[in-house]
Amino acid sequence: MSMSMSVELIQNAFPKLTEDEMDLLVPYASCEHYQDGDMLFNAGKADMDMFVVRSGGLEILNPHDEDSILAVHEPGQFSGDIDLLTRRPVNVSGRAKGATHVMRVSNEKLREILHRMPRLSETLLSAFQLRRMLLERSGRLGLKVLGHAQCRDTTVVREFLHKNFVPFQFYDVLTEDGKRVHTQLGEPDSLPAVECRDGTLLIRPSLHDIARGAGIWRHCPSATTDFIVIGAGPAGITAAVYAASEGLETFVIDKLGPGGQAGGSSKIENFIGFPSGLSGTELATRGVLQMLKFGAQLVAPVSVSKLSLRDGYDGVDVTMDCGAVVNAKVALIAAGVRWKKLEALNAHKYERAGIYYACTSIEATLHDYQDVAVVGAGNSAGQAAMFLANCCPGRKVHMVVRSTLGPSMSEYLHTRILQDKNIVVHEGAEITEVHGGMQIETITVQSKSKGTFVLPAAAVFVFIGAEADHSWITDAIARDDKGFVLTGIDAFNSGLWPLKDRMPCALETSMPRVLAAGDIRSGTTKRVGFAVGDGSLAVTCAHNLLQLA
């Protein structure tokens, strides 16, 4: 670990359990003894157990760097990160240091511990999350991704791995390191290329290919469940946490990975309980750990191809693009929205290759020390501008706002933007054209007050309003004139509600037993806090509907 990492962070990531805490684990564990150099586990194994060191030591090895030592667990410390909960193949190996005595806690028993011992659960979950963060920051292990930095297909690969908490090493083929890796991989003619743990090389892979290669894809079987959640954004994850914690068999699917639109936010500061703010990725990670802790299942990437009622209105059949059909007693649509596209000349040529509809480290680091533009006047645009200005103080961030900055943005964010010397606000303005060759170089801006002018910009981050993501939703589900799903009394008044013996519940759509929550629901405020409230209310509705069965 580098010296720049704080002592407090290291202590929280690698805590020592007390003797009392280790005694609590005894009924759930088996005792095992190893000699110096014995392997306790190897990278690539799924459904891994947790090892707690009683004596000796446990070396954590990086198989991507000739088994270099990443950390050493001493007596009282334990192995594992979030893969213990996701049950995905682990990224590291474990080797005994000296004569070593460990307590081995099976994956199933670990979940029981997390349910029954809240204080110990907090210690374990915090450590698991911080360790994954440190692994990702190190950039020293995981899949190798080789491609052009500003290439649409390469960005899709990187965003997918990032959203699904998969550590990876990215190499820009135009750099010296990238050229070296290109040679090591056999000089593939087409990019991006992804090298998996077992050495398999994927060329221009689909998301399903990457998911299989990374070991995160689990077969999505046809099954019966209490509650299926379509979409793993804040509303969907919240619903899954509450439903699973209250005993409902819960199944969550997403076409890309957890986080939703909020997952593309660099920092969320107005969400209750996080005074220092947190990124969309952090919010998604914490939410997913919570729902997995309570037993919910997550499958991604998978999309819904058909939604239909069963005879008798006693459930919903959800058909997915992988061919599986899940029979759910209640379904929740929490598929969120997508950002509107930038309507500027040549913009389509640079989508995900200079024009982005998210602002995380995945996109931002590609344009260090270069001026960029942010389009939009809401909180997402403001958060992106602040993040881009702070992560690279030498650049200018041009905010291009169609009307006036302020009315649709939180006051604290508006004030910070006006005070930041690296942010230039252009009000009453629009981008009309994007210029460049292989990369974006400049943008043309049309301003009501200044006329037409050109600005240097290596990238454009776009947050200009949302559209409902509903292409797969059946016509039996009523929507408003903008495509957002109607629920409750609005669904009843649509004329599509088929039942005469009851009214729809608050979040029920015009298709009985199908709920909608979050940004995709008509009349909602597009805020994380509102989506979380919607997700919890959806579970109340689900319980009410289940009682009708």
Side-chain angles (χ1 to χ4, degrees), residues 1 7-23 25 29 32 40-41 49-60 69-81 84 95 97 100-105 110 120 123-124 127-128 131 134:
M1 299 297 172
V7 173
E8 182 181 4
L9 176 61
I10 298 298
Q11 288 176 340
N12 290 336
F14 299 95
K16 284 190 176 183
L17 303 182
T18 65
E19 285 295 331
D20 288 343
E21 287 173 326
M22 287 194 287
D23 289 343
L25 295 177
E32 297 183 356
L40 280 70
F41 59 88
D49 299 335
M50 182 176 75
F51 296 86
V52 183
V53 180
R54 296 304 302 253
S55 64
L58 175 56
E59 295 175 330
I60 303 302
I69 298 174
L70 292 170
V72 179
H73 294 309
E74 300 176 345
Q77 295 182 314
F78 52 89
S79 66
D81 70 354
L84 292 184
R95 181 176 66 196
K97 181 182 180 182
T100 300
H101 171 205
V102 298
M103 292 191 297
R104 183 175 191 151
V105 180
L110 173 61
L120 183 56
T123 298
L124 296 176
F128 294 160
R131 290 176 187 179
L134 292 174

Side-chain angles (χ1 to χ4, degrees), residues 518 521 523-535:
R521 187 167 75 85
T524 59
T525 300
K526 312 309 182 197
R527 292 282 192 270
V528 172
F530 194 101
V532 168
D534 244 22

Side-chain angles (χ1 to χ4, degrees), residues 244-357:
S245 69
E246 293 170 13
L248 299 185
E249 188 176 12
T250 303
F251 198 85
V252 184
I253 62 174
D254 196 277
K255 65 181 180 181
L256 185 60
Q261 195 179 45
S265 178
S266 53
K267 194 167 189 179
I268 302 167
E269 290 190 82
N270 58 352
F271 185 48
I272 188 170
F274 298 93
S276 299
L278 76 171
S279 71
T281 300
E282 289 174 307
L283 181 64
T285 304
R286 296 181 188 205
V288 168
L289 289 182
Q290 278 183 288
M291 75 179 198
L292 295 176
K293 165 187 169 180
F294 291 119
Q297 299 180 65
L298 171 66
V299 177
V302 65
S303 298
V304 175
S305 57
K306 184 180 178 182
L307 199 63
S308 56
L309 278 173
R310 292 207 296 268
D311 292 340
Y313 302 106
D314 63 345
V316 184
D317 291 336
V318 182
T319 304
M320 287 168 275
D321 60 359
C322 60
V325 179
V326 174
N327 309 123
K329 296 175 183 176
V330 179
L332 169 64
I333 300 173
V337 295
R338 55 176 175 258
W339 291 112
K340 292 181 180 178
K341 302 295 186 182
L342 179 67
E343 295 182 357
L345 189 62
N346 298 324
H348 67 283
K349 291 170 49 178
Y350 297 100
E351 186 168 330
R352 279 181 160 150
I355 292 180
Y356 307 105
Y357 297 88

